[in-house]
Amino acid sequence: MAACSRRRFLQFAAASPAALLSGCSLFPGKSCSKAHVVVVGGGFGGATAAKYLRLLAPELRVTLIEPKTSYITCPGSNWLFADLTDIRQLTVNYRALSSGYDIKLITDSVSRIDPAGRRLTLAGGQTLGYDRLVLSPGIDFHWNTLPGYDAATAEIYPHAWQAGPQTLLLQRQIQAMPDGGMVLISAPAEPYRCPPGPYERASMIACWLQQHKPRSKVMILDAKTGFSKQKLFEAGWAKYFGYGGGDSMLEWHSIADNPLIELDTATGTLYTDFGDKFQGQVLNIIPPQQAGRIARESGLTDTDGWCPVNAMDSSSRFEKHIHVIGDAARYAPIPKSAFAANSEAKACALAVVSLLKQQAPPDPQWLNACYSLITPEHGISVAGVYGLNAEQRVETVKGAGGLSRGNDEREERLEAGYALGVYRSLVVDSFGSAYST
Amino acid sequence: MKSRLARAAYRRLGGHSAAKLTRLNGYDHQPKYPRLLIKLLFAITAGVLPAWQTQADTTAQAIAFNCRNCHTTDGAATAPPTLDNLSAPRIRESLLAFKYDQKPATIMPRIAKGYSDTELAAVADLLGRH
Ligand SMILES: Cc1cc2nc3c(=O)[nH]c(=O)nc-3n(C[C@H](O)[C@H](O)[C@H](O)COP(=O)(O)OP(=O)(O)OC[C@H]3O[C@@H](n4cnc5c(N)ncnc54)[C@H](O)[C@@H]3O)c2cc1C
């Protein structure tokens, strides 16, 4: 296999000089030889940034800091609920990045950043200097927005919004639920990681219930008045689950003006402001979110908890030498997705390499494409092309992007396949290799 | 929906085992590319490739990076097609046809409309350099 992968690597190199080798020819003149770029967080954003920094500027020193030795992708994790995948298939490691791309990997977490001294401290005590820092720490939760829902309660009523043990816990609870039971999903207000995620999850759970516990139901209680790909989801739900009818397996209720105010952990009951009461055998509570802790503790966030950036070069509005990408940063209208984190990372890598060579960064080009499965054979997508406007802010390119056409079985089937194919491609493009074992 | 059938179909669509996928995709679990090889590659090609200095070129590259999100793997039945065997004129022709709705597809028409004809041509030139 080693020979095979090497051939593959050479093919990639030959096939995509643009992607791999153009570094210093793209930026002639000064080299960034002695510069050290540290990437914090080995998720989709950080992994992609580290890889593309190396591809663009082979002479650069690139260090990636991530506490976990393997990473379980959130993308694909909803498919687990319909038995379409397993955790092993959703797990990647960092070996391809460290040995294939010559990236120095440190398995630890960053406990402190000193922007003035351009140094950071690891939990293990070691300190590290940097010329530029790329931060992609993902999200943390706003606990107790729903009183009583905190990290400990999440071990009883999972959020499953960071893939891994939480995902498996939710799956076990659904499997253990008696037929006729109710799965409640509480969906947060914007902005949050993966806008279509709760609705894909409800679809996948309904697929499984229909087969194994057909008298059961899944109900979404939504803090919003509408949601991503709503028309496409609702059409699919009507077709497969009787959505909109009296005995639908799947229900969606907006509680935007009647928010949840209490969780009775003893009975699994949710109470709303107006006194409505929802009881479920399984409760999946997806709390509101904010940038990962290290971003907040380093003074990189606004009062809303997210990191504002200069979109032109992805630098923090507060610290010139720190670049923030992925879910933690505010790139709206780009949604918080793995696809977008990957795209932001590439724009960031181009900017960082330019800045190190004291050149103006190229205009950033961002893309998002998110697939969701309604059933294993019915996929839908939303796409968006983004650029900078005259005020140097992120703007959706008009006339491009948008939703799947809908109501076309051939395309639905094709897009179900692409959901899978694109997932795999995105993982390989970001982490340098497909699977860990 | 018949779950077992659906699942079988899903497998047909590409829900392969990890081992099989590895074979299909040609990826090793633990690739070990000697550092020297990488350095050599960089060295050789850096000299051979033309210097891309214009704004148009860097823009094209920035756009082309995003093609890799979906078009990196091949071999699996359901993956978006690989670009690695396509010539620049072929890619340009397709991108323009997607943009002007002359070639039916699920997502590419929505994406291609985001770029000027010149940008699409420059992206095709980059991707077509094998
Ligand atoms: C159920 C679900 C389904 C989804 N499906 C899709 C999908 O189909 N397509 C899609 O595009 N997106 C999807 N997403 C969204 C996607 O998971 C996120 O947008 C993506 O992971 C964001 O990448 P990131 O790099 O910002 O953060 P993350 O992927 O969360 O990575 C952050 C990393 O930083 C590390 N870290 C944090 N703090 C520190 C520190 N102090 N020091 C060092 N390391 C640190 C963490 O360990 C983590 O590995 C889904 C999300 C969910 C929840």
Side-chain angles (χ1 to χ4, degrees):
Chain A
M1 284 314 281
C4 175
S5 41
R6 189 171 318 156
R7 197 185 67 228
R8 177 78 214 163
F9 180 74
L10 288 164
Q11 273 172 4
F12 179 65
S16 31
L20 197 65
L21 306 157
S22 55
C24 284
S25 48
L26 178 68
F27 300 101
K30 285 195 172 184
S31 96
C32 36
S33 42
K34 290 203 184 88
H36 184 210
V37 179
V38 176
V39 181
V40 176
F44 279 93
T48 308
K51 178 178 149 180
Y52 276 78
L53 279 165
R54 287 287 297 135
L55 295 179
L56 279 166
E59 73 280 13
L60 201 66
R61 281 200 299 138
V62 181
T63 303
L64 175 64
I65 305 174
E66 161 65 47
K68 303 189 297 285
T69 53
S70 61
Y71 172 89
I72 302 172
T73 69
C74 284
S77 68
N78 283 329
W79 306 344
L80 205 80
F81 302 111
D83 272 351
L84 301 174
T85 186
D86 56 45
I87 286 287
R88 200 178 62 97
Q89 292 197 54
L90 300 175
T91 306
V92 289
N93 63 37
Y94 298 98
R95 282 197 288 266
L97 286 180
S98 63
S99 57
Y101 291 86
D102 210 4
I103 290 161
K104 182 168 185 223
L105 182 71
I106 298 181
T107 306
D108 201 340
S109 64
V110 174
S111 54
R112 217 175 71 81
I113 301 174
D114 164 19
R118 286 196 231 163
R119 287 198 82 75
L120 50 81
T121 309
L122 302 177
Q126 192 191 339
T127 70
L128 217 66
Y130 61 82
D131 293 292
R132 296 258 162 196
L133 190 144
V134 176
L135 191 62
S136 189
I139 55 154
D140 263 353
F141 298 108
H142 269 300
W143 298 116
N144 282 305
T145 311
L146 171 62
Y149 193 70
D150 56 17
T153 317
E155 298 303 318
I156 311 166
Y157 301 113
H159 51 75
W161 220 241
Q162 282 164 327
Q166 278 277 313
T167 319
L168 290 170
L169 176 63
L170 179 57
Q171 186 188 33
R172 277 198 306 274
Q173 292 183 350
I174 295 167
Q175 287 171 348
M177 181 180 83
D179 192 8
M182 168 73 85
V183 180
L184 288 178
I185 299 176
S186 148
E190 298 274 6
Y192 63 98
R193 148 180 291 186
C194 196
Y199 316 96
E200 180 188 59
R201 174 171 291 176
S203 310
M204 293 288 93
I205 294 174
C207 280
W208 189 86
L209 290 176
Q210 196 166 51
Q211 225 28 60
H212 301 275
K213 300 179 196 273
R215 295 190 301 111
S216 311
K217 266 189 205 295
V218 47
M219 182 188 286
I220 306 165
L221 300 173
D222 208 325
K224 301 177 287 301
T225 52
F227 59 90
S228 172
K229 309 179 197 167
Q230 182 162 2
K231 277 210 176 90
L232 294 169
F233 272 115
E234 289 185 328
W237 293 344
K239 187 167 162 188
Y240 309 109
F241 311 123
Y243 181 75
D247 197 29
S248 176
M249 282 204 74
L250 197 160
E251 292 180 31
W252 174 77
H253 299 285
S254 170
I255 50 165
D257 44 18
N258 180 23
L260 297 175
I261 53 158
E262 192 192 332
L263 163 65
D264 179 351
T265 51
T267 59
T269 310
L270 288 164
Y271 294 91
T272 70
D273 201 15
F274 298 165
D276 291 326
K277 180 173 135 177
F278 297 93
Q279 197 181 11
Q281 279 61 51
V282 176
L283 264 59
N284 171 210
I285 295 170
I286 306 165
Q289 295 150 33
Q290 56 188 333
R293 184 165 149 187
I294 186 69
R296 301 196 323 274
E297 290 180 351
S298 308
L300 300 172
T301 48
D302 259 342
T303 46
D304 67 357
W306 303 105
C307 303
V309 290
N310 300 303
M312 178 67 211
D313 61 6
S314 72
S315 63
S316 159
R317 288 268 175 85
F318 303 127
E319 298 295 345
K320 192 169 147 213
H321 294 96
I322 301 181
H323 300 254
V324 195
I325 54 172
D327 288 354
R330 202 192 298 131
Y331 283 89
I334 307 179
K336 297 187 185 302
S337 75
F339 198 110
N342 169 300
S343 185
E344 288 155 17
K346 290 167 178 170
C348 173
L350 278 163
V352 165
V353 171
S354 307
L355 291 168
L356 287 171
K357 299 190 176 200
Q358 288 158 29
Q359 296 176 359
D363 275 356
Q365 305 285 337
W366 299 286
L367 182 68
N368 182 56
C370 276
Y371 287 87
S372 307
L373 291 181
I374 300 179
T375 73
E377 294 180 308
H378 186 158
I380 56 177
S381 67
V382 62
V385 181
Y386 306 89
L388 280 183
N389 66 13
E391 288 84 55
Q392 305 288 301
R393 288 180 187 278
V394 185
E395 190 173 70
T396 308
V397 175
K398 291 194 184 64
L403 298 167
S404 315
R405 247 186 301 265
N407 206 14
D408 179 328
E409 279 190 23
R410 205 189 125 265
E411 293 204 341
E412 289 158 3
R413 202 177 297 260
L414 269 175
E415 290 212 287
Y418 290 150
L420 214 80
V422 166
Y423 166 77
R424 255 183 232 128
S425 179
L426 187 66
V427 168
V428 175
D429 185 38
S430 305
F431 294 88
S433 170
Y435 295 102
S436 84
T437 21
Chain B
M1 196 194 67
K2 295 183 203 74
S3 158
R4 201 176 304 156
L5 272 183
R7 221 175 303 145
Y10 189 77
R11 260 184 235 118
R12 226 176 24 251
L13 279 169
H16 311 288
S17 72
K20 181 152 174 232
L21 273 171
T22 305
R23 243 180 300 125
L24 281 174
N25 291 338
Y27 288 98
D28 192 5
H29 292 319
Q30 302 173 49
K32 287 249 183 307
Y33 316 115
R35 281 168 193 213
L36 194 66
L37 174 71
I38 297 175
K39 291 201 173 126
L40 206 67
L41 257 172
F42 285 133
I44 296 168
T45 43
V48 171
L49 292 169
W52 296 318
Q53 309 186 29
T54 65
Q55 177 70 24
D57 280 340
T58 47
T59 301
Q61 166 142 69
I63 298 169
F65 274 177
N66 289 323
C67 304
R68 295 284 161 199
N69 294 28
C70 300
H71 294 278
T72 286
T73 54
D74 57 352
T78 69
T82 171
L83 306 173
D84 294 352
N85 306 315
L86 300 179
S87 67
R90 194 48 216 292
I91 298 173
R92 185 183 320 139
E93 194 188 13
S94 294
L95 288 174
L96 290 170
F98 287 137
K99 177 173 171 182
Y100 293 106
D101 292 317
Q102 285 156 358
K103 181 172 172 154
T106 53
I107 202 166
M108 279 310 295
R110 289 180 261 159
I111 292 173
K113 288 186 180 64
Y115 307 99
S116 71
D117 293 4
T118 321
E119 284 170 340
L120 293 177
V123 167
D125 278 348
L126 273 183
L127 294 173
R129 277 185 207 161
H130 302 304

